[in-house]
Amino acid sequence: MELKALSVTELNKYIKKILTIDPILNNVSLKGEISNFKLHSSGHAYFSIKDDESKINCIMFRNNVNLLNFKPENGLKVIVKGYISVYERDGQYQLYAQSILLEGLGELHEKFKKLRNYLEGEGLFSPIYKKSIPNFPKKIGVITSPTGAAIRDIISVISRRNSLVNVYIFPTLVQGVNSSTSICENIDKINSIYDDMDVIILSRGGGSIEELWSFNEEKVARAIFDSKIPIISGIGHETDYTIADFVSDLRAPTPSSAAELCVKDLRDIKNFIKIRYEQSKISLEKNIVNMENRLSKLNPMNGRKIVENKLNTYENTIHSFKQVMDFSVQNYLNKAEFKVENLGLKLGTLNPFSTISRGYAVISNDYGTINSIEEVSIEDEIKVNLKDGHLICKVENKYKESILNGRIWPISSK
């Protein structure tokens, strides 16, 4: 049986199909060294990955290139993830790279993600804990290497924008074994000694993830969070992000940007004051002109009439108040007089002397008024009070009023 002859295109498509459905080749991780790296104007990257004995051509499309956090260079040891396929036009198989990691840094990336998620869960990145940056700081503490480019950039920017600001430099290790300890010590030192420090800039220049790793340490993150003085981070390049950036009160993309965010340009401040001064001056002059125009329209006669009208209005108001007050006082006095008269009448009815004047008598002894015959005995002396004097009498008999057969019977006698 004679097999059908395939075209070159058909063969390449068949090979591509075979490679595509292979589970290993469809998701492969390849480690090696970058060589022949070229970044095309289209944004695609073309390069090779090689070891001591072999190499394979690679391509990375623009959207994946833009996600890289470092600049690929020849000679770098990397781990490339992607899939194997065939470029049909040339009949050449190659690795289509989807991501590139520096070899040995995969563990650091995982450690970074784990710590970031842990601290975020604790709330160290929450905006509610971010301290505000003062608008016009007088004292700025800078924690960075005294020999790096970062400190030169910061001093240059601050001195150019506002030479009245005092900058305090705290020499710090920003890379290496003891760098995280050095950073923490200087943060604590500024907080404990310099209570009048307005803001801290934590900074260093760009570098690889290994070189920036001290800013990804947990103790550095907690030192930043515990700082009473607001901290601006300016670490690495714009695409570099560290744990310190997430915890700090304000993140700047570069050391120079940190200085710009910290200090307002004195020229801008002067221009702002000048503009507000001119606005206030124009507003004041306008108000003066308006008042002059209003005054020019007034004459003495009109002014006198206005004053007299106001005085008459006040006088009428006072007179009305006086009438209301007089009426209220008189009404109160009438009510009070009526109450007093009623009370006098009531007291008159209770007055014992008014009763005596009508022919009655009030009888008493040394103990008080006598209301019952039970209160006296035979031979007792009693006092009889009349309207024009009193009598001293002696009790000879006591009679109990008891109607019995029309007679009053004595209770006792001598």
Side-chain angles (χ1 to χ4, degrees):
M1 182 176 179
E2 186 176 356
L3 295 176
K4 177 185 175 182
L6 299 175
S7 66
V8 175
T9 301
E10 289 175 333
L11 179 61
N12 285 339
K13 285 184 176 181
Y14 179 76
I15 295 173
K16 181 178 181 179
K17 182 178 179 181
I18 296 298
L19 294 176
T20 301
I21 63 175
D22 186 284
I24 296 178
L25 300 180
N26 194 40
N27 184 19
V28 65
S29 293
L30 189 67
K31 66 177 181 178
E33 180 182 315
I34 295 177
S35 65
N36 301 319
F37 183 85
K38 293 180 182 179
L39 186 62
H40 197 268
S41 59
S42 63
H44 305 324
Y46 299 90
F47 57 97
S48 299
I49 297 296
K50 67 176 184 177
D51 56 21
D52 294 338
E53 299 180 0
S54 302
K55 75 171 185 176
I56 184 174
N57 293 330
C58 306
I59 179 174
M60 174 175 269
F61 295 124
R62 179 177 58 194
N63 58 332
N64 289 321
V65 172
N66 292 335
L67 297 177
L68 295 176
N69 57 7
F70 72 99
K71 182 180 179 181
E73 296 177 355
N74 293 332
L76 289 178
K77 302 288 186 179
V78 294
I79 297 176
V80 183
K81 291 185 178 181
Y83 61 92
I84 303 295
S85 188
V86 171
Y87 183 46
E88 296 177 19
R89 192 193 70 178
D90 296 340
Q92 184 179 31
Y93 79 90
Q94 55 189 1
L95 174 64
Y96 288 80
Q98 295 172 315
S99 66
I100 304 176
L101 294 176
L102 292 172
E103 186 178 359
L105 297 183
E107 294 182 2
L108 288 180
H109 282 288
E110 289 301 320
K111 186 177 179 181
F112 173 85
K113 291 180 182 179
K114 185 177 180 181
L115 180 59
R116 183 186 64 186
N117 293 336
Y118 175 70
L119 295 178
E120 185 176 16
E122 281 195 12
L124 268 67
F125 306 160
S126 176
I128 64 174
Y129 297 116
K130 303 294 184 185
K131 295 175 283 294
S132 59
I133 307 301
N135 289 322
F136 303 102
K138 296 179 180 179
K139 293 184 177 181
I140 301 173
V142 181
I143 297 177
T144 190
S145 170
T147 59
I151 187 61
R152 294 195 297 271
D153 293 341
I154 291 172
I155 293 175
S156 174
V157 171
I158 292 177
S159 60
R160 184 182 73 250
R161 292 172 69 84
N162 190 345
S163 58
L164 301 178
V165 175
N166 294 319
V167 179
Y168 297 80
I169 301 171
F170 296 86
T172 309
L173 294 174
V174 294
Q175 180 178 336
V177 178
N178 298 319
S179 56
S180 59
T181 301
S182 179
I183 294 170
C184 294
E185 287 177 350
N186 277 331
I187 292 175
D188 295 339
K189 178 180 179 181
I190 297 175
N191 275 271
S192 60
I193 299 177
Y194 300 89
D195 55 355
D196 59 344
M197 194 71 69
D198 296 307
V199 66
I200 297 171
I201 295 178
L202 177 61
S203 179
R204 71 148 286 160
S208 65
I209 188 173
E210 288 179 312
E211 294 170 329
L212 300 176
W213 191 253
S214 56
F215 296 93
N216 291 321
E217 294 286 352
E218 181 177 353
K219 62 181 179 181
V220 172
R222 296 196 180 279
I224 295 172
F225 183 80
D226 293 337
S227 174
K228 298 177 181 178
I229 303 170
I231 295 179
I232 300 176
S233 64
I235 301 165
H237 300 301
E238 189 168 355
T239 57
D240 295 325
Y241 273 88
T242 65
I243 299 294
D245 291 316
F246 295 115
V247 185
S248 63
D249 301 294
L250 180 63
R251 186 252 177 186
T254 62
S256 298
S257 299
E260 291 177 356
L261 291 173
C262 185
V263 179
K264 289 180 172 57
D265 196 320
L266 195 59
R267 292 169 295 184
D268 294 338
I269 298 173
K270 290 180 179 179
N271 289 335
F272 174 78
I273 295 174
K274 183 178 180 181
I275 291 172
R276 293 304 298 267
Y277 169 78
E278 294 296 334
Q279 290 175 343
S280 300
K281 182 180 177 182
I282 293 172
S283 178
L284 181 60
E285 291 175 348
K286 185 177 178 180
N287 288 335
I288 292 173
V289 171
N290 290 336
M291 294 298 294
E292 288 177 345
N293 291 335
R294 291 177 62 186
L295 290 172
S296 65
K297 294 178 182 178
L298 298 175
N299 57 58
M301 292 303 297
N302 289 338
R304 182 174 180 179
K305 288 182 179 180
I306 292 172
V307 173
E308 288 178 351
N309 290 335
K310 286 191 174 183
L311 289 175
N312 290 332
T313 301
Y314 293 151
E315 185 178 1
N316 292 333
T317 302
I318 293 172
H319 182 69
S320 298
F321 285 158
K322 183 177 181 301
Q323 288 181 331
V324 172
M325 186 180 295
D326 289 343
F327 176 78
S328 298
V329 171
Q330 188 60 46
N331 186 42
Y332 177 81
L333 291 175
N334 291 338
K335 290 181 179 179
E337 185 178 359
F338 180 74
K339 282 185 177 182
V340 170
E341 289 178 355
N342 285 337
L343 289 173
L345 291 174
K346 290 180 179 180
L347 288 173
T349 59
L350 299 175
N351 187 358
F353 294 103
S354 64
T355 303
I356 294 174
S357 66
R358 293 198 301 272
Y360 293 92
V362 177
I363 302 172
S364 63
N365 56 18
D366 293 338
Y367 302 103
T369 302
I370 298 171
N371 296 314
S372 172
I373 62 174
E374 302 296 334
E375 297 179 12
V376 296
S377 302
I378 303 299
E379 300 294 333
D380 284 352
E381 286 190 352
I382 59 173
K383 184 178 181 180
V384 180
N385 293 294
L386 302 172
K387 68 177 182 179
D388 56 352
H390 59 269
L391 302 174
I392 303 298
C393 302
K394 181 179 290 186
V395 177
E396 293 184 354
N397 291 301
K398 295 196 299 181
Y399 292 91
K400 181 76 172 181
E401 288 188 356
S402 175
I403 299 175
L404 182 61
N405 296 324
R407 300 181 61 183
I408 300 176
W409 299 89
I411 296 177
S412 63
S413 63
K414 288 185 179 179

